[in-house]
Amino acid sequence: METEAGRKIAVIVVAAGSGERLGRGVPKARVPLGGELMLTHALRGVLAADIASHICVALPDGDAELQRLCGVLAAETSAAGGPEITVVDGGSSRAESVRSALAALAPEVSAVVIHDAARALTPPEVFHRIAASLAEGALAVIPALAVVDTIKTVENSDPGTASIAPERVRCTPARDQLRAVQTPQGFDLATLRRAHEQAALLTQSQAAEVTDDAMLVEAMGVAVYVVKGSARSLKITTPTDLLLAEALLEGPLAPRWVEG
Ligand code: C5P
């Protein structure tokens, strides 16, 4: 799809994570959810949103099953006149997986939306809010929700007090200013490429601290705008998340689901 400003949008789906915390012994994108693989849900969600002229999927290196899945969906989508779907091998960090996909985008693309396959149930309206902000001229835009828990930052206890508890509270940020950030995150392509060129110079431990793309763009002083996310965009990380996702998808909760 072209935004109103005439930009062509690519969607990058990062699906190269190991999924260790789900404990299924297979990459997370291959975990079954409601009778389909997690990646199938994620890609069908991107297709339903209909914002992309190109979809690039970062897969676990050499994963033949997921390559086949993407190939089938690419053929089906192409036959229906939909966007091109291509795959790349992901890297050892999320940021590396994003960089592999950024290097493989169609040349006419000028805006990019990065999405975690693990947020497999993200509804189309979240993609539409991101695309609308890009069309209005945002260089960076992310979806987020207000947090319900009180959040504290902590530090290690002193050696003399470590027997009481390993950590102690440093401070309590004002909750009304905190947001839980999700994907899809939208960017002007040149801006995100610049941010990732700088991130490629980070040490391995610094790279491990890069948990989303927006933080790289923030570090360059670029304004990152925030639109409303969705509780359906939960990141399926633990067995409890998987239960909740199954319930959202087809369980008795689904008809009673009301977006907050
Ligand atoms: O594990 P984490 O929460 O960082 O995963 C977020 C998303 O990034 C997941 O969809 C996962 O598949 C992806 N990822 C990736 N390459 C990695 C690590 C994570 O594509 N090396």
Side-chain angles (χ1 to χ4, degrees):
M1 170 182 146
E2 280 193 20
T3 67
E4 284 141 46
R7 293 167 134 195
K8 286 211 166 179
I9 299 181
V11 175
I12 289 174
V13 177
V14 282
S18 65
E20 260 166 44
R21 287 164 290 179
L22 266 179
R24 293 297 182 97
V26 292
K28 202 193 297 193
R30 262 206 265 142
V31 169
L33 169 62
E36 303 244 45
L37 300 193
M38 185 110 71
L39 182 60
T40 306
H41 286 283
L43 289 176
R44 292 218 185 274
V46 174
L47 289 167
D50 195 23
I51 64 161
S53 58
H54 176 200
I55 298 169
C56 183
V57 192
L59 295 178
D61 204 351
D63 191 314
E65 183 178 346
L66 291 180
Q67 283 170 4
R68 205 166 32 249
L69 182 158
C70 289
V72 169
L73 209 54
E76 192 185 290
T77 305
S78 162
E84 184 190 11
I85 300 177
T86 59
V87 301
V88 292
D89 283 331
S92 59
S93 67
R94 184 186 182 281
E96 263 186 50
S97 296
V98 171
R99 275 196 290 280
S100 300
L102 281 175
L105 295 185
E108 68 276 13
V109 163
S110 64
V112 64
V113 169
I114 316 287
H115 188 44
D116 288 342
R119 298 187 189 274
L121 303 185
T122 300
E125 54 268 27
V126 178
F127 287 92
H128 296 162
R129 286 178 204 131
I130 296 295
S133 290
L134 290 171
E136 288 296 327
L139 294 180
V141 54
I142 61 178
L145 292 178
V147 297
V148 292
D149 292 316
T150 296
I151 308 283
K152 296 184 189 290
T153 63
V154 297
E155 60 195 0
N156 287 336
S157 301
D158 295 328
T161 57
S163 61
I164 300 173
E167 293 177 338
R168 66 180 180 203
V169 170
R170 185 185 287 157
C171 73
T172 310
R175 190 170 63 185
D176 62 356
Q177 287 179 19
L178 294 175
R179 299 290 177 270
V181 168
Q182 305 176 329
T183 70
Q185 300 189 345
F187 303 92
D188 165 66
L189 179 58
T191 303
L192 189 66
R193 280 203 165 125
R194 224 162 7 103
H196 270 279
E197 274 162 26
Q198 292 179 14
L201 306 174
L202 297 176
T203 63
Q204 210 172 356
S205 67
Q206 288 169 327
E209 287 169 17
V210 177
T211 50
D212 78 348
D213 297 278
M215 61 192 281
L216 299 175
V217 171
E218 285 158 49
M220 297 196 306
V222 171
V224 177
Y225 292 92
V226 181
V227 296
K228 189 167 171 277
S230 168
R232 289 190 73 99
S233 310
L234 79 157
K235 186 159 84 170
I236 303 167
T237 308
T238 65
T240 311
D241 299 330
L242 199 54
L243 273 176
L244 185 54
E246 294 273 5
L248 286 175
L249 205 56
E250 53 186 356
L253 274 178
R256 288 190 273 130
W257 178 263
V258 179
E259 188 72 59

